[in-house]
mmCIF file of all heavy atoms in Angstrom:
data_model
loop_
_atom_site.group_PDB
_atom_site.id
_atom_site.type_symbol
_atom_site.label_atom_id
_atom_site.label_comp_id
_atom_site.label_asym_id
_atom_site.label_seq_id
_atom_site.Cartn_x
_atom_site.Cartn_y
_atom_site.Cartn_z
ATOM 1 N N SER Y 1 130.111 59.467 63.335
ATOM 2 C CA SER Y 1 130.255 58.013 63.321
ATOM 3 C C SER Y 1 129.085 57.333 64.025
ATOM 4 O O SER Y 1 128.889 56.131 63.862
ATOM 5 C CB SER Y 1 131.568 57.612 63.995
ATOM 6 O OG SER Y 1 131.599 58.078 65.331
ATOM 7 N N ALA Y 2 128.317 58.107 64.805
ATOM 8 C CA ALA Y 2 127.161 57.559 65.524
ATOM 9 C C ALA Y 2 126.218 58.707 65.863
ATOM 10 O O ALA Y 2 126.629 59.870 65.886
ATOM 11 C CB ALA Y 2 127.615 56.877 66.805
ATOM 12 N N PRO Y 3 124.960 58.405 66.129
ATOM 13 C CA PRO Y 3 124.040 59.461 66.559
ATOM 14 C C PRO Y 3 124.490 60.046 67.898
ATOM 15 O O PRO Y 3 125.181 59.370 68.661
ATOM 16 C CB PRO Y 3 122.698 58.750 66.720
ATOM 17 C CG PRO Y 3 122.854 57.410 66.122
ATOM 18 C CD PRO Y 3 124.313 57.105 66.039
ATOM 19 N N PRO Y 4 124.110 61.294 68.200
ATOM 20 C CA PRO Y 4 124.489 61.872 69.485
ATOM 21 C C PRO Y 4 123.873 61.084 70.640
ATOM 22 O O PRO Y 4 122.779 60.547 70.529
ATOM 23 C CB PRO Y 4 123.922 63.289 69.450
ATOM 24 C CG PRO Y 4 123.246 63.461 68.155
ATOM 25 C CD PRO Y 4 123.335 62.192 67.382
ATOM 26 N N THR Y 5 124.611 61.045 71.737
ATOM 27 C CA THR Y 5 124.095 60.389 72.936
ATOM 28 C C THR Y 5 123.070 61.288 73.611
ATOM 29 O O THR Y 5 122.960 62.483 73.286
ATOM 30 C CB THR Y 5 125.228 60.089 73.928
ATOM 31 O OG1 THR Y 5 125.765 61.350 74.391
ATOM 32 C CG2 THR Y 5 126.327 59.245 73.298
ATOM 33 N N GLU Y 6 122.360 60.741 74.572
ATOM 34 C CA GLU Y 6 121.394 61.548 75.327
ATOM 35 C C GLU Y 6 122.105 62.702 76.032
ATOM 36 O O GLU Y 6 121.611 63.829 76.047
ATOM 37 C CB GLU Y 6 120.667 60.672 76.346
ATOM 38 C CG GLU Y 6 119.587 61.405 77.113
ATOM 39 C CD GLU Y 6 118.845 60.517 78.093
ATOM 40 O OE1 GLU Y 6 118.773 59.302 77.861
ATOM 41 O OE2 GLU Y 6 118.335 61.065 79.088
ATOM 42 N N TRP Y 7 123.288 62.430 76.592
ATOM 43 C CA TRP Y 7 124.046 63.480 77.272
ATOM 44 C C TRP Y 7 124.465 64.570 76.282
ATOM 45 O O TRP Y 7 124.370 65.758 76.582
ATOM 46 C CB TRP Y 7 125.286 62.883 77.956
ATOM 47 C CG TRP Y 7 126.140 63.932 78.586
ATOM 48 C CD1 TRP Y 7 125.963 64.509 79.808
ATOM 49 C CD2 TRP Y 7 127.273 64.572 78.004
ATOM 50 N NE1 TRP Y 7 126.928 65.470 80.013
ATOM 51 C CE2 TRP Y 7 127.744 65.518 78.919
ATOM 52 C CE3 TRP Y 7 127.939 64.435 76.799
ATOM 53 C CZ2 TRP Y 7 128.854 66.314 78.673
ATOM 54 C CZ3 TRP Y 7 129.036 65.233 76.548
ATOM 55 C CH2 TRP Y 7 129.487 66.155 77.481
ATOM 56 N N GLU Y 8 124.912 64.185 75.082
ATOM 57 C CA GLU Y 8 125.299 65.177 74.077
ATOM 58 C C GLU Y 8 124.104 66.028 73.663
ATOM 59 O O GLU Y 8 124.245 67.245 73.469
ATOM 60 C CB GLU Y 8 125.918 64.486 72.864
ATOM 61 C CG GLU Y 8 127.279 63.896 73.141
ATOM 62 C CD GLU Y 8 127.792 63.004 72.035
ATOM 63 O OE1 GLU Y 8 126.979 62.519 71.213
ATOM 64 O OE2 GLU Y 8 129.014 62.768 71.992
ATOM 65 N N ASP Y 9 122.930 65.400 73.553
ATOM 66 C CA ASP Y 9 121.712 66.159 73.246
ATOM 67 C C ASP Y 9 121.384 67.148 74.363
ATOM 68 O O ASP Y 9 121.011 68.297 74.097
ATOM 69 C CB ASP Y 9 120.523 65.228 73.020
ATOM 70 C CG ASP Y 9 120.521 64.589 71.643
ATOM 71 O OD1 ASP Y 9 121.161 65.140 70.723
ATOM 72 O OD2 ASP Y 9 119.870 63.533 71.499
ATOM 73 N N GLN Y 10 121.526 66.729 75.612
ATOM 74 C CA GLN Y 10 121.259 67.621 76.745
ATOM 75 C C GLN Y 10 122.235 68.783 76.752
ATOM 76 O O GLN Y 10 121.843 69.933 76.978
ATOM 77 C CB GLN Y 10 121.340 66.856 78.065
ATOM 78 C CG GLN Y 10 120.219 65.889 78.284
ATOM 79 C CD GLN Y 10 120.430 65.021 79.516
ATOM 80 O OE1 GLN Y 10 121.490 65.014 80.129
ATOM 81 N NE2 GLN Y 10 119.407 64.277 79.865
ATOM 82 N N LEU Y 11 123.495 68.505 76.501
ATOM 83 C CA LEU Y 11 124.499 69.569 76.448
ATOM 84 C C LEU Y 11 124.186 70.540 75.317
ATOM 85 O O LEU Y 11 124.212 71.759 75.511
ATOM 86 C CB LEU Y 11 125.897 68.974 76.273
ATOM 87 C CG LEU Y 11 127.044 69.973 76.141
ATOM 88 C CD1 LEU Y 11 127.147 70.863 77.380
ATOM 89 C CD2 LEU Y 11 128.353 69.240 75.885
ATOM 90 N N ALA Y 12 123.866 70.011 74.146
ATOM 91 C CA ALA Y 12 123.536 70.867 73.003
ATOM 92 C C ALA Y 12 122.310 71.727 73.299
ATOM 93 O O ALA Y 12 122.293 72.925 72.970
ATOM 94 C CB ALA Y 12 123.302 70.017 71.759
ATOM 95 N N ASP Y 13 121.291 71.139 73.926
ATOM 96 C CA ASP Y 13 120.087 71.905 74.278
ATOM 97 C C ASP Y 13 120.423 73.034 75.246
ATOM 98 O O ASP Y 13 119.920 74.155 75.104
ATOM 99 C CB ASP Y 13 119.022 71.000 74.894
ATOM 100 C CG ASP Y 13 118.393 70.049 73.880
ATOM 101 O OD1 ASP Y 13 118.568 70.258 72.664
ATOM 102 O OD2 ASP Y 13 117.726 69.090 74.335
ATOM 103 N N ALA Y 14 121.279 72.747 76.242
ATOM 104 C CA ALA Y 14 121.658 73.777 77.223
ATOM 105 C C ALA Y 14 122.466 74.888 76.566
ATOM 106 O O ALA Y 14 122.260 76.072 76.858
ATOM 107 C CB ALA Y 14 122.438 73.144 78.374
ATOM 108 N N ILE Y 15 123.374 74.529 75.671
ATOM 109 C CA ILE Y 15 124.172 75.540 74.968
ATOM 110 C C ILE Y 15 123.264 76.406 74.102
ATOM 111 O O ILE Y 15 123.371 77.642 74.102
ATOM 112 C CB ILE Y 15 125.284 74.879 74.132
ATOM 113 C CG1 ILE Y 15 126.318 74.234 75.053
ATOM 114 C CG2 ILE Y 15 125.934 75.887 73.191
ATOM 115 C CD1 ILE Y 15 127.325 73.346 74.331
ATOM 116 N N GLU Y 16 122.368 75.773 73.376
ATOM 117 C CA GLU Y 16 121.438 76.519 72.521
ATOM 118 C C GLU Y 16 120.567 77.464 73.350
ATOM 119 O O GLU Y 16 120.360 78.621 72.968
ATOM 120 C CB GLU Y 16 120.569 75.534 71.749
ATOM 121 C CG GLU Y 16 119.730 76.170 70.680
ATOM 122 C CD GLU Y 16 118.996 75.121 69.859
ATOM 123 O OE1 GLU Y 16 119.644 74.196 69.349
ATOM 124 O OE2 GLU Y 16 117.762 75.253 69.735
ATOM 125 N N ALA Y 17 120.069 76.987 74.486
ATOM 126 C CA ALA Y 17 119.254 77.836 75.368
ATOM 127 C C ALA Y 17 120.080 78.985 75.923
ATOM 128 O O ALA Y 17 119.578 80.106 76.071
ATOM 129 C CB ALA Y 17 118.661 76.998 76.500
ATOM 130 N N GLY Y 18 121.338 78.721 76.226
ATOM 131 C CA GLY Y 18 122.219 79.781 76.724
ATOM 132 C C GLY Y 18 122.426 80.871 75.691
ATOM 133 O O GLY Y 18 122.355 82.062 76.001
ATOM 134 N N PHE Y 19 122.665 80.468 74.450
ATOM 135 C CA PHE Y 19 122.804 81.464 73.379
ATOM 136 C C PHE Y 19 121.498 82.240 73.200
ATOM 137 O O PHE Y 19 121.510 83.467 73.042
ATOM 138 C CB PHE Y 19 123.203 80.815 72.063
ATOM 139 C CG PHE Y 19 124.647 80.389 71.993
ATOM 140 C CD1 PHE Y 19 124.991 79.219 71.326
ATOM 141 C CD2 PHE Y 19 125.661 81.139 72.553
ATOM 142 C CE1 PHE Y 19 126.314 78.821 71.228
ATOM 143 C CE2 PHE Y 19 126.991 80.747 72.470
ATOM 144 C CZ PHE Y 19 127.310 79.583 71.807
ATOM 145 N N ALA Y 20 120.377 81.535 73.231
ATOM 146 C CA ALA Y 20 119.075 82.195 73.064
ATOM 147 C C ALA Y 20 118.813 83.192 74.173
ATOM 148 O O ALA Y 20 118.142 84.200 73.968
ATOM 149 C CB ALA Y 20 117.958 81.152 73.005
ATOM 150 N N ALA Y 21 119.343 82.916 75.366
ATOM 151 C CA ALA Y 21 119.169 83.821 76.507
ATOM 152 C C ALA Y 21 120.185 84.966 76.495
ATOM 153 O O ALA Y 21 120.192 85.801 77.395
ATOM 154 C CB ALA Y 21 119.278 83.040 77.818
ATOM 155 N N GLY Y 22 121.053 85.000 75.490
ATOM 156 C CA GLY Y 22 121.992 86.111 75.347
ATOM 157 C C GLY Y 22 123.330 85.900 76.023
ATOM 158 O O GLY Y 22 124.086 86.845 76.207
ATOM 159 N N HIS Y 23 123.651 84.671 76.379
ATOM 160 C CA HIS Y 23 124.934 84.378 77.024
ATOM 161 C C HIS Y 23 125.973 84.052 75.955
ATOM 162 O O HIS Y 23 126.166 82.905 75.590
ATOM 163 C CB HIS Y 23 124.780 83.222 78.021
ATOM 164 C CG HIS Y 23 123.805 83.507 79.095
ATOM 165 N ND1 HIS Y 23 124.029 84.448 80.073
ATOM 166 C CD2 HIS Y 23 122.571 83.015 79.328
ATOM 167 C CE1 HIS Y 23 122.989 84.505 80.882
ATOM 168 N NE2 HIS Y 23 122.082 83.643 80.443
ATOM 169 N N TRP Y 24 126.637 85.097 75.469
ATOM 170 C CA TRP Y 24 127.586 84.943 74.372
ATOM 171 C C TRP Y 24 129.018 84.791 74.860
ATOM 172 O O TRP Y 24 129.859 84.254 74.147
ATOM 173 C CB TRP Y 24 127.500 86.140 73.425
ATOM 174 C CG TRP Y 24 126.167 86.236 72.795
ATOM 175 C CD1 TRP Y 24 125.132 87.058 73.175
ATOM 176 C CD2 TRP Y 24 125.662 85.466 71.702
ATOM 177 N NE1 TRP Y 24 124.042 86.839 72.377
ATOM 178 C CE2 TRP Y 24 124.342 85.862 71.462
ATOM 179 C CE3 TRP Y 24 126.218 84.473 70.909
ATOM 180 C CZ2 TRP Y 24 123.572 85.304 70.456
ATOM 181 C CZ3 TRP Y 24 125.449 83.914 69.902
ATOM 182 C CH2 TRP Y 24 124.137 84.337 69.687
ATOM 183 N N GLU Y 25 129.310 85.285 76.047
ATOM 184 C CA GLU Y 25 130.663 85.172 76.599
ATOM 185 C C GLU Y 25 130.828 83.787 77.205
ATOM 186 O O GLU Y 25 129.901 83.232 77.792
ATOM 187 C CB GLU Y 25 130.907 86.252 77.660
ATOM 188 C CG GLU Y 25 130.802 87.672 77.126
ATOM 189 C CD GLU Y 25 131.851 87.981 76.068
ATOM 190 O OE1 GLU Y 25 133.000 87.497 76.203
ATOM 191 O OE2 GLU Y 25 131.522 88.698 75.109
ATOM 192 N N LEU Y 26 132.016 83.222 77.083
ATOM 193 C CA LEU Y 26 132.259 81.855 77.511
ATOM 194 C C LEU Y 26 131.946 81.644 78.987
ATOM 195 O O LEU Y 26 131.280 80.670 79.352
ATOM 196 C CB LEU Y 26 133.705 81.451 77.199
ATOM 197 C CG LEU Y 26 134.077 80.010 77.498
ATOM 198 C CD1 LEU Y 26 133.180 79.028 76.758
ATOM 199 C CD2 LEU Y 26 135.540 79.767 77.158
ATOM 200 N N ASP Y 27 132.406 82.549 79.853
ATOM 201 C CA ASP Y 27 132.144 82.403 81.292
ATOM 202 C C ASP Y 27 130.644 82.350 81.570
ATOM 203 O O ASP Y 27 130.190 81.523 82.365
ATOM 204 C CB ASP Y 27 132.750 83.569 82.085
ATOM 205 C CG ASP Y 27 134.265 83.551 82.100
ATOM 206 O OD1 ASP Y 27 134.852 82.504 81.763
ATOM 207 O OD2 ASP Y 27 134.855 84.587 82.454
ATOM 208 N N ALA Y 28 129.891 83.224 80.933
ATOM 209 C CA ALA Y 28 128.446 83.268 81.156
ATOM 210 C C ALA Y 28 127.769 82.024 80.600
ATOM 211 O O ALA Y 28 126.849 81.479 81.221
ATOM 212 C CB ALA Y 28 127.849 84.525 80.518
ATOM 213 N N LEU Y 29 128.225 81.535 79.457
ATOM 214 C CA LEU Y 29 127.638 80.333 78.868
ATOM 215 C C LEU Y 29 127.904 79.116 79.748
ATOM 216 O O LEU Y 29 127.010 78.312 79.995
ATOM 217 C CB LEU Y 29 128.181 80.114 77.455
ATOM 218 C CG LEU Y 29 127.625 78.905 76.720
ATOM 219 C CD1 LEU Y 29 126.099 79.013 76.549
ATOM 220 C CD2 LEU Y 29 128.312 78.747 75.376
ATOM 221 N N VAL Y 30 129.131 78.981 80.240
ATOM 222 C CA VAL Y 30 129.466 77.859 81.120
ATOM 223 C C VAL Y 30 128.623 77.924 82.387
ATOM 224 O O VAL Y 30 128.086 76.899 82.842
ATOM 225 C CB VAL Y 30 130.974 77.837 81.431
ATOM 226 C CG1 VAL Y 30 131.297 76.816 82.513
ATOM 227 C CG2 VAL Y 30 131.782 77.551 80.171
ATOM 228 N N ALA Y 31 128.461 79.101 82.957
ATOM 229 C CA ALA Y 31 127.633 79.250 84.158
ATOM 230 C C ALA Y 31 126.187 78.861 83.855
ATOM 231 O O ALA Y 31 125.534 78.196 84.668
ATOM 232 C CB ALA Y 31 127.712 80.685 84.678
ATOM 233 N N PHE Y 32 125.678 79.251 82.713
ATOM 234 C CA PHE Y 32 124.308 78.911 82.322
ATOM 235 C C PHE Y 32 124.144 77.394 82.202
ATOM 236 O O PHE Y 32 123.183 76.824 82.711
ATOM 237 C CB PHE Y 32 123.967 79.595 80.993
ATOM 238 C CG PHE Y 32 122.550 79.384 80.552
ATOM 239 C CD1 PHE Y 32 121.555 80.257 80.942
ATOM 240 C CD2 PHE Y 32 122.210 78.299 79.750
ATOM 241 C CE1 PHE Y 32 120.237 80.061 80.539
ATOM 242 C CE2 PHE Y 32 120.903 78.094 79.340
ATOM 243 C CZ PHE Y 32 119.912 78.983 79.741
ATOM 244 N N VAL Y 33 125.075 76.733 81.550
ATOM 245 C CA VAL Y 33 125.010 75.277 81.390
ATOM 246 C C VAL Y 33 125.064 74.605 82.762
ATOM 247 O O VAL Y 33 124.320 73.672 83.043
ATOM 248 C CB VAL Y 33 126.144 74.775 80.457
ATOM 249 C CG1 VAL Y 33 126.244 73.266 80.469
ATOM 250 C CG2 VAL Y 33 125.931 75.298 79.043
ATOM 251 N N ARG Y 34 125.936 75.113 83.619
ATOM 252 C CA ARG Y 34 126.041 74.573 84.987
ATOM 253 C C ARG Y 34 124.730 74.723 85.726
ATOM 254 O O ARG Y 34 124.254 73.793 86.382
ATOM 255 C CB ARG Y 34 127.151 75.328 85.721
ATOM 256 C CG ARG Y 34 128.125 74.466 86.423
ATOM 257 C CD ARG Y 34 129.156 75.214 87.232
ATOM 258 N NE ARG Y 34 129.272 76.618 86.998
ATOM 259 C CZ ARG Y 34 130.403 77.236 86.664
ATOM 260 N NH1 ARG Y 34 131.510 76.571 86.515
ATOM 261 N NH2 ARG Y 34 130.430 78.537 86.482
ATOM 262 N N GLU Y 35 124.118 75.908 85.646
ATOM 263 C CA GLU Y 35 122.850 76.189 86.333
ATOM 264 C C GLU Y 35 121.714 75.302 85.823
ATOM 265 O O GLU Y 35 120.755 75.059 86.549
ATOM 266 C CB GLU Y 35 122.464 77.662 86.155
ATOM 267 C CG GLU Y 35 123.348 78.616 86.915
ATOM 268 C CD GLU Y 35 123.152 80.066 86.492
ATOM 269 O OE1 GLU Y 35 122.205 80.357 85.720
ATOM 270 O OE2 GLU Y 35 123.968 80.905 86.913
ATOM 271 N N HIS Y 36 121.822 74.842 84.593
ATOM 272 C CA HIS Y 36 120.778 73.998 84.021
ATOM 273 C C HIS Y 36 121.033 72.512 84.254
ATOM 274 O O HIS Y 36 120.357 71.671 83.671
ATOM 275 C CB HIS Y 36 120.572 74.330 82.539
ATOM 276 C CG HIS Y 36 119.742 75.565 82.396
ATOM 277 N ND1 HIS Y 36 120.245 76.820 82.603
ATOM 278 C CD2 HIS Y 36 118.432 75.710 82.139
ATOM 279 C CE1 HIS Y 36 119.276 77.703 82.454
ATOM 280 N NE2 HIS Y 36 118.161 77.058 82.175
ATOM 281 N N GLY Y 37 121.989 72.213 85.115
ATOM 282 C CA GLY Y 37 122.185 70.858 85.597
ATOM 283 C C GLY Y 37 122.915 69.898 84.692
ATOM 284 O O GLY Y 37 122.942 68.704 84.960
ATOM 285 N N VAL Y 38 123.513 70.399 83.624
ATOM 286 C CA VAL Y 38 124.280 69.507 82.760
ATOM 287 C C VAL Y 38 125.718 69.501 83.269
ATOM 288 O O VAL Y 38 126.373 70.537 83.306
ATOM 289 C CB VAL Y 38 124.239 69.956 81.278
ATOM 290 C CG1 VAL Y 38 125.045 69.009 80.416
ATOM 291 C CG2 VAL Y 38 122.808 70.054 80.794
ATOM 292 N N ARG Y 39 126.157 68.341 83.694
ATOM 293 C CA ARG Y 39 127.521 68.197 84.211
ATOM 294 C C ARG Y 39 128.439 67.661 83.127
ATOM 295 O O ARG Y 39 127.979 67.192 82.095
ATOM 296 C CB ARG Y 39 127.520 67.280 85.420
ATOM 297 C CG ARG Y 39 126.783 67.898 86.591
ATOM 298 C CD ARG Y 39 126.870 67.002 87.807
ATOM 299 N NE ARG Y 39 126.415 67.698 88.986
ATOM 300 C CZ ARG Y 39 127.211 68.343 89.840
ATOM 301 N NH1 ARG Y 39 128.512 68.354 89.652
ATOM 302 N NH2 ARG Y 39 126.708 68.952 90.882
#
């Protein structure tokens, strides 16, 4: 219904980077996103 917000883009970038770094398990992915400063 609208373009992604800046925060949604940051979250998507962090998730994508987490997958690229091999963090496939949910706990590890959440920790990766947290470590990259996306709240």
Side-chain angles (χ1 to χ4, degrees):
S1 59
T5 65
E6 184 178 333
W7 176 83
E8 290 170 340
D9 281 338
Q10 290 173 351
L11 177 60
D13 289 346
I15 292 170
E16 189 174 307
F19 285 143
H23 300 291
W24 297 99
E25 299 297 323
L26 184 57
D27 291 344
L29 181 61
V30 171
F32 184 89
V33 170
R34 229 184 346 235
E35 290 167 9
H36 281 77
V38 180
R39 293 183 168 265

